[in-house]
Amino acid sequence: MKIEFAPRSVPLQRRLQTAAVAQWVCSFLALAQCSTAVFIALLFTRFWLVSALYAAWWFIDREKPSKGGRRIHVFRNCVVWRYMRDYFPVTLVKTAELDPRQNYLVAFHPHGVLAVGAFINFCTEASGFSTLFPGITPHLMLLSLWFRFPFFRDYVMSGGLIPSDKESASYVLQKPEGGNLLAVIVGGAQEALDARPGSFTLLLKNRKGFVRLAIQNGTPLIPAFSFGENDVFDQVKNPQGSWLRRIQHFLQQIMGISLPLFHARGIFQYSFGVIPYRRPICTVVGKPIPVQKKHKPSEEEVDQLHEKYLNELSELFEKHKAKYNVPEDSHLEFI
């Protein structure tokens, strides 16, 4: 394999952008484990009191993630996220106005490998969310496992992330004052195993929990498609039925997270590494689908709204795909 090194004349701005992306990728690959190691290691040093006090705080604060989390505006507005936005770049597109007196449930597609578009657009202000949607507070759901790591839980809550369970979702969607947007990456970790350039396969055909949640809370449902999300990483081939795919499914059942074998470029060279490619990501937020509230919706009612949602999502994709260099003969595939 021929290694292609970055030229020495790369501007400082581009280096800062690469560094911003690198720190974010590393934060999700290693920070959770490192934070746990630090927490335990401190117990055997003269700084044991730090871990002891944090443990007490953790116990007192244990319900906070499921009660809307604890966003920190300084974190969301940090300059590092603007460098990360410009690296790809990432953009957010609004197609309809949102009433700040209502709550909304946004279904985000596709998951991609690391859900870059979802993080930048809903967990930071780098793409101007508050300017596009004034009066709306965004929340993004993340696998509950990540909130069990010391220190790391506070890091992810700072951006507006909450656990991906019904209790956490209902707390946000039932706020009477409105003005809340809950983003759910419907395909989840399993969909990440199919994330590769040029793929438009969505794990959505039998995923109806988000539809039921919208009906139970009477929350308008909004489709959102992130063009380019699957293009920023390559992935080792793992077709259905292959030994690698079977191992990945097995590990997912045990740990709750998928382990896609992804690769892209390095920090100092362009040939191989875990730093994503510089490819545009554009998240298009569609128009709200009105939902009639019903505490116990029937399967038929759920199926009807689910079918309507699939049609709206397909229409959103077809309407905008030409702007983002998607071939005319490419269409969404639901599995």
XYZ file of all heavy atoms in Angstrom, residues 131-216:
670
model
N -30.216 29.472 15.398
C -30.563 30.528 14.450
C -31.612 30.053 13.459
O -32.557 30.779 13.130
C -29.303 30.985 13.679
O -28.319 31.438 14.612
C -29.639 32.112 12.712
N -31.477 28.807 12.997
C -32.447 28.243 12.050
C -33.776 27.939 12.719
O -34.842 28.122 12.123
C -31.884 26.959 11.423
C -30.794 27.106 10.369
C -30.229 25.743 9.991
C -31.344 27.800 9.128
N -33.709 27.447 13.968
C -34.920 27.047 14.683
C -35.000 27.791 16.017
O -34.777 27.200 17.076
C -34.933 25.535 14.918
C -34.856 24.712 13.661
C -33.664 24.116 13.273
C -35.979 24.537 12.862
C -33.585 23.351 12.118
C -35.905 23.782 11.700
C -34.718 23.186 11.316
N -35.292 29.076 15.994
C -35.337 29.857 17.238
C -36.418 29.340 18.188
O -37.518 28.976 17.775
C -35.667 31.275 16.744
C -36.288 31.086 15.394
C -35.645 29.887 14.803
N -36.058 29.300 19.469
C -37.007 28.858 20.482
C -37.096 27.354 20.632
O -37.886 26.857 21.445
N -36.281 26.601 19.883
C -36.311 25.145 19.946
C -35.024 24.640 20.607
O -33.924 25.047 20.238
C -36.433 24.515 18.533
C -37.687 25.038 17.817
C -36.451 22.997 18.631
C -39.002 24.600 18.431
N -35.159 23.756 21.590
C -34.018 23.157 22.278
C -33.832 21.720 21.799
O -34.720 20.891 21.993
C -34.232 23.150 23.802
O -34.415 24.495 24.262
C -33.035 22.533 24.513
N -32.698 21.409 21.157
C -32.502 20.063 20.620
C -31.935 19.079 21.646
O -31.134 19.448 22.507
C -31.498 20.290 19.485
C -30.674 21.447 19.970
C -31.607 22.325 20.777
N -32.358 17.832 21.551
C -31.810 16.728 22.343
C -31.536 15.587 21.375
O -32.308 15.365 20.436
C -32.799 16.259 23.412
C -33.244 17.318 24.365
N -32.658 17.524 25.589
C -34.228 18.239 24.265
C -33.263 18.530 26.207
N -34.225 18.984 25.425
N -30.476 14.854 21.606
C -30.142 13.699 20.772
C -30.017 12.478 21.664
O -29.379 12.536 22.713
C -28.829 13.933 20.021
C -28.319 12.778 19.139
C -29.284 12.487 17.992
C -26.920 13.097 18.596
N -30.623 11.368 21.241
C -30.578 10.147 22.040
C -29.316 9.349 21.735
O -28.902 9.218 20.589
C -31.827 9.297 21.784
C -33.127 10.008 22.086
S -34.541 8.894 22.290
C -34.340 8.443 24.009
N -28.702 8.835 22.798
C -27.474 8.054 22.712
C -27.663 6.770 23.511
O -28.384 6.757 24.514
C -26.299 8.865 23.288
C -24.921 8.203 23.322
C -24.376 8.016 21.903
C -23.935 9.054 24.136
N -27.027 5.688 23.070
C -27.125 4.408 23.753
C -26.892 4.578 25.253
O -25.904 5.206 25.672
C -26.103 3.427 23.164
C -26.248 1.962 23.565
C -27.539 1.381 22.997
C -25.047 1.166 23.066
N -27.784 4.033 26.064
C -27.739 4.221 27.515
C -26.424 3.769 28.139
O -26.016 4.281 29.187
C -28.908 3.473 28.172
O -30.143 3.938 27.670
N -25.757 2.828 27.491
C -24.493 2.310 28.003
C -23.480 3.412 28.271
O -22.745 3.378 29.275
C -23.916 1.311 26.988
C -22.469 0.856 27.185
C -22.372 -0.042 28.417
C -21.950 0.118 25.960
N -23.429 4.430 27.402
C -22.409 5.475 27.522
C -22.592 6.335 28.769
O -21.658 7.020 29.193
C -22.420 6.353 26.277
C -22.071 5.617 25.027
C -22.902 5.309 23.993
C -20.793 5.070 24.671
N -22.235 4.604 23.019
C -20.932 4.452 23.405
C -19.542 5.048 25.295
C -19.873 3.815 22.769
C -18.484 4.419 24.656
C -18.662 3.813 23.413
N -23.770 6.315 29.364
C -24.015 7.133 30.553
C -23.597 6.411 31.832
O -23.785 6.930 32.924
C -25.494 7.521 30.620
C -25.911 8.456 29.515
C -26.344 7.960 28.293
C -25.842 9.825 29.677
C -26.711 8.808 27.263
C -26.205 10.689 28.657
C -26.640 10.178 27.442
N -23.032 5.213 31.690
C -22.573 4.457 32.854
C -21.095 4.669 33.131
O -20.552 4.114 34.088
C -22.852 2.964 32.634
C -24.331 2.652 32.454
C -24.547 1.206 32.052
N -25.944 0.950 31.703
C -26.368 -0.169 31.129
N -25.505 -1.126 30.833
N -27.649 -0.324 30.843
N -20.433 5.454 32.276
C -19.010 5.705 32.462
C -18.805 7.000 33.243
O -19.379 8.032 32.891
C -18.303 5.810 31.112
C -18.267 4.525 30.341
C -19.204 4.256 29.359
C -17.288 3.579 30.602
C -19.174 3.070 28.649
C -17.240 2.390 29.896
C -18.184 2.136 28.907
N -17.991 6.977 34.298
C -17.736 8.199 35.075
C -17.065 9.266 34.222
O -16.272 8.960 33.329
C -16.801 7.711 36.196
C -16.149 6.480 35.645
C -17.184 5.836 34.785
N -17.388 10.512 34.487
C -16.867 11.681 33.770
C -17.408 11.753 32.340
O -17.840 12.819 31.891
C -15.327 11.712 33.755
C -14.704 11.649 35.110
C -13.870 10.596 35.459
C -14.950 12.635 36.059
C -13.289 10.532 36.722
C -14.377 12.587 37.315
C -13.548 11.531 37.645
N -17.369 10.639 31.617
C -17.826 10.635 30.221
C -19.308 10.988 30.143
O -19.753 11.650 29.205
C -17.580 9.267 29.586
C -17.840 9.227 28.102
C -16.937 9.789 27.209
C -18.993 8.647 27.594
C -17.174 9.772 25.838
C -19.234 8.616 26.234
C -18.324 9.176 25.356
N -20.101 10.551 31.126
C -21.535 10.859 31.144
C -21.769 12.368 31.181
O -22.680 12.885 30.524
C -22.220 10.185 32.346
C -21.780 10.746 33.689
C -22.304 9.976 34.871
N -23.707 10.180 35.101
C -24.228 11.173 35.804
N -23.431 12.093 36.321
N -25.530 11.270 35.986
N -20.931 13.078 31.925
C -21.065 14.530 32.013
C -20.648 15.198 30.707
O -21.216 16.210 30.311
C -20.216 15.055 33.173
C -20.614 14.426 34.499
O -21.620 14.866 35.072
O -19.933 13.487 34.943
N -19.658 14.610 30.056
C -19.179 15.121 28.763
C -20.300 15.058 27.728
O -20.569 16.047 27.025
C -17.969 14.303 28.330
C -17.536 14.510 26.890
C -16.900 15.682 26.487
C -17.741 13.517 25.934
C -16.483 15.867 25.174
C -17.331 13.685 24.620
C -16.711 14.856 24.242
O -16.317 15.039 22.944
N -20.972 13.905 27.602
C -22.007 13.772 26.573
C -23.270 14.559 26.932
O -23.949 15.096 26.050
C -22.342 12.288 26.301
C -21.156 11.581 25.687
C -22.808 11.567 27.558
N -23.580 14.662 28.224
C -24.751 15.456 28.624
C -24.568 16.926 28.297
O -25.543 17.640 28.047
C -25.037 15.278 30.123
C -25.835 14.046 30.468
S -26.571 14.137 32.131
C -25.123 14.155 33.160
N -23.322 17.395 28.281
C -23.046 18.806 28.033
C -23.575 19.276 26.678
O -23.922 20.438 26.495
C -21.537 19.067 28.103
O -21.043 18.780 29.384
N -23.617 18.354 25.709
C -24.086 18.723 24.381
C -25.578 18.539 24.176
O -26.091 18.860 23.101
N -26.284 17.983 25.169
C -27.711 17.756 25.024
C -28.064 16.316 24.718
O -29.190 16.023 24.290
N -27.141 15.387 24.945
C -27.408 13.963 24.729
C -28.133 13.376 25.930
O -27.833 13.709 27.084
C -26.097 13.220 24.491
C -25.472 13.436 23.108
C -23.961 13.286 23.176
C -26.051 12.466 22.100
N -29.081 12.482 25.646
C -29.820 11.795 26.701
C -29.890 10.308 26.360
O -29.692 9.929 25.198
C -31.243 12.367 26.873
C -32.076 12.150 25.600
C -31.200 13.841 27.241
C -33.549 12.524 25.764
N -30.157 9.435 27.340
C -30.199 7.989 27.075
C -31.327 7.611 26.114
O -32.394 8.233 26.105
C -30.436 7.379 28.462
C -29.986 8.421 29.423
C -30.319 9.734 28.781
N -31.087 6.575 25.344
C -32.088 6.127 24.363
C -33.039 5.114 24.995
O -32.994 3.917 24.711
C -31.400 5.492 23.146
O -30.546 4.435 23.566
N -33.888 5.610 25.876
C -34.930 4.776 26.467
C -36.231 5.571 26.518
O -36.239 6.793 26.362
C -34.536 4.277 27.864
C -34.163 5.405 28.826
O -34.984 6.335 28.993
O -33.061 5.372 29.400
N -37.331 4.863 26.739
C -38.654 5.477 26.676
C -38.836 6.543 27.757
O -39.455 7.587 27.517
C -39.735 4.407 26.804
C -41.139 4.935 26.605
C -42.167 3.823 26.658
C -43.574 4.365 26.455
N -44.602 3.277 26.521
N -38.301 6.293 28.940
C -38.451 7.248 30.041
C -37.822 8.596 29.696
O -38.428 9.649 29.897
C -37.814 6.680 31.308
C -37.889 7.624 32.507
C -37.101 7.123 33.706
O -36.484 6.045 33.607
O -37.103 7.828 34.733
N -36.601 8.559 29.163
C -35.908 9.792 28.805
C -36.608 10.532 27.681
O -36.734 11.764 27.707
C -34.464 9.469 28.386
O -33.776 8.796 29.418
N -37.083 9.772 26.691
C -37.772 10.381 25.557
C -39.075 11.035 25.994
O -39.385 12.168 25.601
C -38.046 9.327 24.491
N -39.841 10.337 26.804
C -41.136 10.867 27.252
C -40.969 12.115 28.096
O -41.787 13.048 28.020
C -41.896 9.794 28.053
O -42.195 8.686 27.234
N -39.903 12.174 28.910
C -39.666 13.355 29.741
C -39.521 14.605 28.877
O -40.074 15.670 29.197
C -38.417 13.151 30.595
C -38.125 14.312 31.520
C -38.693 14.365 32.787
C -37.300 15.368 31.120
C -38.448 15.445 33.635
C -37.047 16.432 31.950
C -37.621 16.469 33.210
O -37.388 17.545 34.035
N -38.788 14.482 27.765
C -38.577 15.623 26.874
C -39.849 15.959 26.100
O -40.244 17.128 26.001
C -37.417 15.330 25.893
C -37.319 16.427 24.831
C -36.104 15.220 26.650
N -40.507 14.938 25.567
C -41.660 15.174 24.698
C -42.910 15.621 25.452
O -43.832 16.173 24.850
C -41.979 13.900 23.904
C -40.876 13.442 22.936
C -41.294 12.142 22.256
C -40.577 14.515 21.893
N -42.937 15.390 26.763
C -44.117 15.745 27.541
C -43.984 17.087 28.257
O -44.882 17.470 29.016
C -44.410 14.644 28.568
C -44.902 13.346 27.943
C -45.096 12.240 28.961
O -44.915 12.438 30.172
N -45.466 11.059 28.490
N -42.923 17.808 28.008
C -42.780 19.118 28.645
C -43.886 20.047 28.154
O -43.991 20.320 26.946
C -41.404 19.708 28.334
C -40.274 19.022 29.088
C -38.950 19.756 28.914
C -37.865 19.148 29.789
N -36.577 19.873 29.670
N -44.727 20.542 29.045
C -45.911 21.311 28.638
C -45.612 22.641 27.959
O -46.421 23.123 27.158
C -46.662 21.524 29.958
C -45.603 21.443 31.017
C -44.634 20.417 30.512
N -44.454 23.232 28.249
C -44.146 24.534 27.655
C -43.719 24.419 26.197
O -43.655 25.419 25.482
C -43.054 25.245 28.460
C -41.683 24.598 28.394
C -41.475 23.489 29.402
O -42.463 23.001 29.977
O -40.301 23.108 29.609
N -43.430 23.185 25.736
C -43.029 22.986 24.344
C -41.614 23.477 24.081
O -40.830 23.731 24.993
N -41.279 23.609 22.795
C -39.969 24.123 22.420
C -38.844 23.119 22.499
O -37.677 23.499 22.551
N -39.181 21.821 22.499
C -38.156 20.794 22.576
C -38.170 19.916 21.331
O -39.241 19.572 20.813
C -38.357 19.912 23.811
C -38.096 20.658 25.098
O -36.965 20.863 25.505
N -39.174 21.102 25.748
N -36.995 19.559 20.851
C -36.858 18.683 19.694
C -36.011 17.488 20.112
O -34.892 17.647 20.593
C -36.206 19.427 18.531
C -35.984 18.668 17.223
C -36.077 19.625 16.034
C -34.613 17.984 17.216
N -36.563 16.298 19.953
C -35.858 15.077 20.295
C -35.462 14.357 19.012
O -36.321 13.963 18.226
C -36.740 14.170 21.153
C -36.121 12.827 21.554
C -34.910 13.048 22.450
C -37.145 11.946 22.265
N -34.162 14.207 18.783
C -33.663 13.524 17.590
C -33.316 12.074 17.933
O -32.598 11.814 18.900
C -32.436 14.239 17.041
N -33.856 11.160 17.149
C -33.629 9.724 17.346
C -32.985 9.160 16.087
O -33.524 9.320 14.984
C -34.951 8.982 17.627
C -34.693 7.505 17.854
C -35.680 9.594 18.810
N -31.842 8.500 16.230
C -31.207 7.845 15.090
C -31.826 6.450 14.989
O -31.393 5.514 15.665
C -29.681 7.780 15.254
C -29.123 9.177 15.539
C -29.034 7.203 13.999
C -27.622 9.198 15.788
N -32.854 6.329 14.181
C -33.718 5.153 14.175
C -32.957 3.870 13.860
O -33.189 2.827 14.483
C -34.877 5.348 13.179
C -35.777 4.122 13.162
C -35.680 6.595 13.544
N -32.046 3.908 12.895
C -31.333 2.695 12.510
C -30.417 2.140 13.571
O -30.122 0.939 13.591
N -29.973 3.012 14.476
C -29.143 2.597 15.591
C -27.820 1.978 15.191
O -27.369 2.068 14.049
N -27.210 1.327 16.175
C -25.885 0.753 15.971
C -25.872 -0.326 14.900
O -24.884 -0.496 14.192
C -25.376 0.182 17.296
N -26.972 -1.046 14.762
C -27.025 -2.119 13.759
C -26.903 -1.568 12.349
O -26.263 -2.168 11.478
C -28.320 -2.919 13.915
C -28.364 -4.165 13.047
C -29.601 -5.008 13.301
O -30.272 -4.852 14.325
N -29.925 -5.901 12.378
N -27.503 -0.406 12.108
C -27.437 0.204 10.782
C -26.015 0.638 10.438
O -25.645 0.725 9.258
C -28.381 1.404 10.719
C -28.573 1.981 9.327
C -29.595 3.107 9.310
O -29.222 4.239 9.662
O -30.760 2.834 8.970
N -25.206 0.911 11.461
C -23.823 1.327 11.228
C -23.029 0.251 10.492
O -22.046 0.554 9.812
C -23.145 1.657 12.556
N -23.440 -0.999 10.597
C -22.736 -2.091 9.936
C -22.919 -2.064 8.424
O -22.196 -2.753 7.698
C -23.211 -3.439 10.495
C -22.956 -3.667 11.988
C -23.529 -4.999 12.433
C -21.453 -3.603 12.301
N -23.867 -1.271 7.937
C -24.091 -1.135 6.495
C -23.665 0.230 5.982
O -23.956 0.588 4.838
C -25.571 -1.363 6.162
C -25.985 -2.816 6.340
O -25.263 -3.694 5.841
O -27.022 -3.070 6.985
N -22.998 1.004 6.836
C -22.602 2.371 6.457
C -21.325 2.340 5.622
O -20.256 2.004 6.115
C -22.393 3.223 7.706
N -21.459 2.677 4.360
C -20.311 2.764 3.456
C -20.671 3.702 2.322
O -21.859 3.926 2.040
C -19.900 1.382 2.939
C -21.044 0.556 2.389
C -20.561 -0.797 1.877
N -19.647 -1.473 2.758
C -20.021 -2.268 3.772
N -21.305 -2.455 4.012
N -19.128 -2.854 4.528
N -19.694 4.305 1.656
C -19.990 5.262 0.583
C -20.939 4.707 -0.469
O -20.809 3.571 -0.917
C -18.599 5.530 -0.014
C -17.666 5.334 1.137
C -18.234 4.177 1.896
N -21.921 5.537 -0.828
C -22.880 5.162 -1.861
C -24.018 4.299 -1.380
O -24.889 3.918 -2.176
N -24.072 4.001 -0.082
C -25.147 3.154 0.454
C -26.329 3.999 0.901
O -26.172 5.004 1.588
C -24.624 2.332 1.637
O -25.681 1.629 2.261
N -27.534 3.565 0.501
C -28.763 4.248 0.921
C -29.747 3.237 1.513
O -30.951 3.346 1.340
C -29.388 4.987 -0.270
C -28.484 6.031 -0.859
C -27.815 5.802 -2.048
C -28.265 7.219 -0.189
C -26.959 6.756 -2.586
C -27.407 8.177 -0.710
C -26.758 7.951 -1.907
N -29.190 2.261 2.203
C -29.989 1.225 2.858
C -30.268 1.634 4.297
O -29.339 1.906 5.063
C -29.253 -0.123 2.833
O -29.003 -0.505 1.482
C -30.089 -1.201 3.505
N -31.550 1.689 4.656
C -31.947 2.108 6.000
C -32.648 0.969 6.730
O -33.533 0.311 6.171
C -32.892 3.313 5.929
C -32.366 4.567 5.229
C -33.427 5.664 5.268
C -31.071 5.054 5.861
N -32.252 0.758 7.964
C -32.895 -0.246 8.811
C -34.147 0.394 9.410
O -34.114 0.968 10.492
C -31.933 -0.690 9.915
C -32.370 -1.857 10.788
C -32.559 -3.111 9.948
C -31.340 -2.106 11.888
N -35.248 0.286 8.671
C -36.429 1.067 9.037
C -37.747 0.328 8.810
O -38.772 0.703 9.379
C -36.427 2.368 8.218
C -37.458 3.440 8.522
C -37.378 3.874 9.986
C -37.248 4.644 7.614
N -37.709 -0.713 8.011
C -38.936 -1.397 7.609
C -39.751 -1.890 8.808
O -40.981 -1.793 8.823
C -38.595 -2.562 6.683
C -39.796 -3.181 5.986
C -39.341 -4.215 4.975
C -40.523 -4.788 4.203
N -40.077 -5.791 3.198
N -39.074 -2.415 9.807
C -39.770 -2.955 10.983
C -39.467 -2.162 12.253
O -39.779 -2.625 13.351
C -39.383 -4.422 11.181
C -39.845 -5.299 10.037
O -41.003 -5.234 9.621
N -38.950 -6.122 9.504
N -38.883 -0.991 12.105
C -38.622 -0.132 13.259
C -39.800 0.825 13.433
O -39.941 1.793 12.691
C -37.326 0.659 13.043
C -36.075 -0.221 12.961
C -35.437 -0.344 14.327
N -34.369 -1.326 14.351
C -33.151 -1.107 14.827
N -32.843 0.090 15.292
N -32.257 -2.063 14.866
N -40.630 0.555 14.421
C -41.849 1.344 14.601
C -41.968 1.943 16.000
O -42.950 2.626 16.301
C -43.073 0.479 14.304
C -43.068 -0.098 12.884
C -44.252 -1.018 12.634
C -44.182 -1.611 11.223
N -45.314 -2.528 10.954
N -40.975 1.703 16.839
C -41.039 2.226 18.202
C -41.103 3.738 18.239
O -41.829 4.318 19.063
N -40.377 4.418 17.353
C -40.388 5.883 17.340
C -41.747 6.416 16.893
O -42.189 7.486 17.340
C -39.265 6.416 16.444
C -39.485 6.233 14.959
C -39.880 7.295 14.164
C -39.267 4.996 14.367
C -40.064 7.140 12.799
C -39.447 4.819 13.004
C -39.850 5.886 12.213
N -42.438 5.661 16.038
C -43.775 6.051 15.586
C -44.768 5.926 16.742
O -45.589 6.821 16.986
C -44.225 5.182 14.399
C -45.683 5.468 14.044
C -43.323 5.421 13.192
N -44.677 4.825 17.455
C -45.557 4.615 18.611
C -45.320 5.694 19.665
O -46.260 6.206 20.277
C -45.305 3.227 19.198
C -46.303 2.815 20.292
C -45.974 1.426 20.821
N -46.020 0.443 19.744
C -47.137 -0.147 19.334
N -48.286 0.167 19.910
N -47.094 -1.041 18.377
N -44.054 6.051 19.871
C -43.702 7.092 20.839
C -44.326 8.427 20.443
O -44.851 9.165 21.297
C -42.185 7.219 20.919
C -41.610 8.206 21.933
C -41.912 7.740 23.354
C -40.096 8.333 21.738
N -44.298 8.747 19.154
C -44.884 10.000 18.670
C -46.384 10.028 18.905
O -46.947 11.046 19.323
C -44.575 10.178 17.185
N -47.069 8.901 18.667
C -48.524 8.834 18.855
C -48.874 8.953 20.332
O -49.800 9.681 20.713
C -49.085 7.523 18.275
C -48.860 7.468 16.760
C -50.574 7.388 18.593
C -49.290 6.158 16.118
N -48.151 8.248 21.183
C -48.454 8.270 22.621
C -48.285 9.656 23.223
O -48.930 9.998 24.212
C -47.561 7.260 23.340
C -47.911 5.813 23.036
C -46.917 4.828 23.630
O -45.777 5.183 23.942
N -47.341 3.586 23.787
